[in-house]
Amino acid sequence: MSNKPTDYIASLAKGLRVIEAFGSDTPRLSISEASAASGLDRATARRVLLTLHREGYADYDGKFFTLTPRVLRLGVAALASLPLSQIVQPWLDQLSEQIGQSCSVALLDETEIVYIARAAQKRVMSIGLMPGSRLPACSTSMGRVLLAALPRDEARARVEASDLSPRTAFAISDPEEIMARIDAARSQGYAIIDQEIEIGLRSIAVPLIDRHDRVVAALNTGMAASAGNAEQMVETYLPRLLKVQAGLKRLI
């Protein structure tokens, strides 16, 4: 691909920077706030925001801009076009029906996991999860099996770069202890978290491995903590997860 300046659309890049400035902690942005968050000058940020508003991607109340559901088309369409998400969704649907629990598949993106497919049953988490949702890798079962697939030095670097602020009283925030859990996931082939993301929720995850024996994603399921202990998760759900893992290895 050519690296000539004519092959680079600066205005598109600026628009993407403004869109990325919005987040769970910053759902509403003024022009000045968008400018500061995106690193663009105020005039450029204003033009981008007004363009997003005119095209239906943002609402504007005269002071603050908020993204509209239309912007989800950009991310959801991209995720839906990934072959992996298309391949795993029927398997997730079937597994979820069989075990009566929600099941998900996620990828690792730096220090976070990104959900690419999900089959939901009764709602255990208060957090609404869907393709595109992100959670910290260090605190999640899928994140730990994905970090376990990296060279140990790289996994440690990502742990150290993570926001380790505890989300619950059960959360592990010490980097050494997190690395011990990642090492355990590497040797066991699965990871369990116990109420680290949300009180009352346990989950178990296994890596998804392609036909070349590379870890490409992670698969998990969760259950209410009141329904049993962590050991019961291994007995009840791990064989089902491993069966899906083996089936998908022939396809990915």
Side-chain angles (χ1 to χ4, degrees), residues 163-180:
D163 178 2
L164 300 180
S165 304
R167 298 173 68 108
T168 75
F170 295 91
I172 299 170
S173 56
D174 177 62
E176 292 301 325
E177 191 170 352
I178 291 171
M179 284 303 301

Side-chain angles (χ1 to χ4, degrees), residues 214-230:
R214 298 173 300 195
V215 173
V216 294
L219 162 70
N220 91 332
T221 188
M223 63 177 279
S226 58
N229 56 39

Side-chain angles (χ1 to χ4, degrees), residues 76-247:
V76 172
L79 287 166
S81 69
L82 291 174
L84 183 59
S85 63
Q86 296 173 354
I87 292 169
V88 303
Q89 190 63 57
W91 291 76
L92 279 187
D93 293 338
Q94 184 179 56
L95 176 61
S96 181
E97 286 295 327
Q98 288 174 346
I99 66 177
Q101 302 288 355
S102 298
C103 302
S104 305
V105 169
L107 306 176
L108 183 64
D109 182 17
E110 298 297 334
T111 61
E112 298 179 312
I113 58 168
V114 183
Y115 284 71
I116 64 166
R118 182 164 169 81
Q121 291 284 325
K122 57 186 179 182
R123 192 167 179 176
V124 176
M125 296 185 75
S126 63
I127 304 169
L129 294 175
M130 60 179 289
S133 295
R134 290 174 175 265
L135 288 174
C138 288
S139 305
T140 57
S141 57
M142 288 193 287
R144 287 180 185 168
V145 295
L146 290 169
L147 288 169
L150 300 176
R152 197 172 190 278
D153 288 346
E154 185 177 346
R156 176 178 286 279
R158 297 205 191 190
V159 170
E160 293 175 349
S162 300
D163 178 2
L164 300 180
S165 304
R167 298 173 68 108
T168 75
F170 295 91
I172 299 170
S173 56
D174 177 62
E176 292 301 325
E177 191 170 352
I178 291 171
M179 284 303 301
R181 299 299 178 96
I182 292 170
D183 290 339
R186 185 181 299 109
S187 62
Q188 295 172 164
Y190 67 88
I192 289 177
I193 63 161
D194 191 351
Q195 305 183 79
E196 292 187 51
I197 284 289
E198 184 171 325
I199 295 295
L201 174 72
R202 293 192 179 103
S203 72
I204 181 170
V206 298
L208 290 182
I209 305 165
D210 69 11
R211 64 191 71 183
H212 303 292
D213 290 322
R214 298 173 300 195
V215 173
V216 294
L219 162 70
N220 91 332
T221 188
M223 63 177 279
S226 58
N229 56 39
E231 290 72 25
Q232 287 175 305
M233 291 199 77
V234 175
E235 297 173 8
T236 304
Y237 299 124
L238 183 59
R240 300 292 188 98
L241 294 175
L242 292 176
K243 185 175 181 180
V244 172
Q245 179 194 66

Side-chain angles (χ1 to χ4, degrees), residues 23-101:
S24 59
D25 296 328
T26 54
R28 301 166 70 245
L29 293 175
S30 66
I31 292 171
S32 296
E33 290 168 340
S35 171
S38 64
L40 302 173
D41 61 72
R42 193 178 187 282
T44 300
R46 178 180 178 274
R47 289 196 300 272
V48 170
L49 288 167
L50 290 175
T51 300
L52 290 172
H53 174 54
R54 181 165 183 173
E55 294 300 315
Y57 289 99
D59 285 331
Y60 182 43
D61 64 7
K63 182 177 181 181
F64 293 102
F65 291 82
T66 56
L67 295 181
T68 67
R70 184 183 180 91
V71 81
L72 293 175
R73 297 183 186 182
L74 303 176
V76 172
L79 287 166
S81 69
L82 291 174
L84 183 59
S85 63
Q86 296 173 354
I87 292 169
V88 303
Q89 190 63 57
W91 291 76
L92 279 187
D93 293 338
Q94 184 179 56
L95 176 61
S96 181
E97 286 295 327
Q98 288 174 346
I99 66 177
Q101 302 288 355

